[in-house]
């Protein structure tokens, strides 16, 4: 059973965005995405303090099945990266929503979150 937390927003390319209490956004990939990719073997994370726009490629993930781009759900400045993924990318498979996050971003426009899918919409998207 695929897990879709109700406190996140989603891109149709399977990235999730979580608005934190400090106004920053944490980004990762969904349980559906990690399950589809299979065993994750490598992650290339964005540069700290780099600036990205909504929809820009921000990271790369490789699994035993494929390599995929990770797109930015909101534009902003990269504040933090999850360095644990560099040594242990398989964390994404075991904990896609908690320990397997990719990066944190300070958004240029928090309103861009409104362009993303709700958990319910994302769940329907995954059924297609």
């Amino acid at each position: 059973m695929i897990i879709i937390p109700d406190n996140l927003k989603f891109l149709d390319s399977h990235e999730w965005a979580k608005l934190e209490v400090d106004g920053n956004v944490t980004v990762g990939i969904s349980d559906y995405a990690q399950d589809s990719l299979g065993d994750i073997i490598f992650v290339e994370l964005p540069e700290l303090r780099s600036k990205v726009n909504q929809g820009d490629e921000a990271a790369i993930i490789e699994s035993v099945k494929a390599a995929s781009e990770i797109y930015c759900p909101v534009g902003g400045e990269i504040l933090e990266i999850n360095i644990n993924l560099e040594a242990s990318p398989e964390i994404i498979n075991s904990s896609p929503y908690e320990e397997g996050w990719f990066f944190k971003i300070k958004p240029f426009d928090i309103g861009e979150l409104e362009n993303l899918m709700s958990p319910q919409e994302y769940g329907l998207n995954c059924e297609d």
Side-chain angles (χ1 to χ4, degrees):
M1 171 121 194
I2 299 299
I3 298 166
I4 304 174
D6 61 5
N7 63 333
L8 305 177
K9 297 284 228 159
F10 295 86
L11 286 171
D12 60 4
S13 52
H14 307 291
E15 293 83 0
W16 56 261
K18 179 182 180 187
L19 179 60
E20 302 291 351
V21 295
D22 62 5
N24 295 318
V25 175
T26 303
V27 178
I29 63 167
S30 71
D31 188 36
Y32 178 88
Q34 71 77 24
D35 186 63
S36 298
L37 284 167
D39 293 336
I40 310 251
I41 56 173
F42 175 77
V43 176
E44 182 179 313
L45 297 168
E47 295 288 323
L48 283 175
R49 291 179 287 292
S50 62
K51 292 179 174 52
V52 293
N53 293 313
Q54 185 177 43
D56 283 357
E57 181 183 312
I60 297 173
I61 187 170
E62 292 183 21
S63 73
V64 293
K65 293 182 182 179
S68 297
E69 294 81 18
I70 302 302
Y71 298 100
C72 207
V74 295
E77 180 180 355
I78 305 295
L79 292 180
E80 186 178 346
I81 58 171
N82 187 350
I83 59 170
N84 296 326
L85 298 182
E86 293 173 349
S88 302
E90 67 277 3
I91 294 170
I92 298 163
N93 292 118
S94 60
S95 184
Y97 299 116
E98 288 85 30
E99 296 173 39
W101 58 275
F102 282 67
F103 56 90
K104 297 185 181 191
I105 189 167
K106 180 178 182 176
F108 296 139
D109 178 3
I110 201 68
E112 288 183 335
L113 286 173
E114 297 306 314
N115 299 331
L116 306 180
M117 286 187 280
S118 70
Q120 296 77 20
E121 291 167 325
Y122 180 70
L124 292 172
N125 185 61
C126 292
E127 292 175 7
D128 293 341

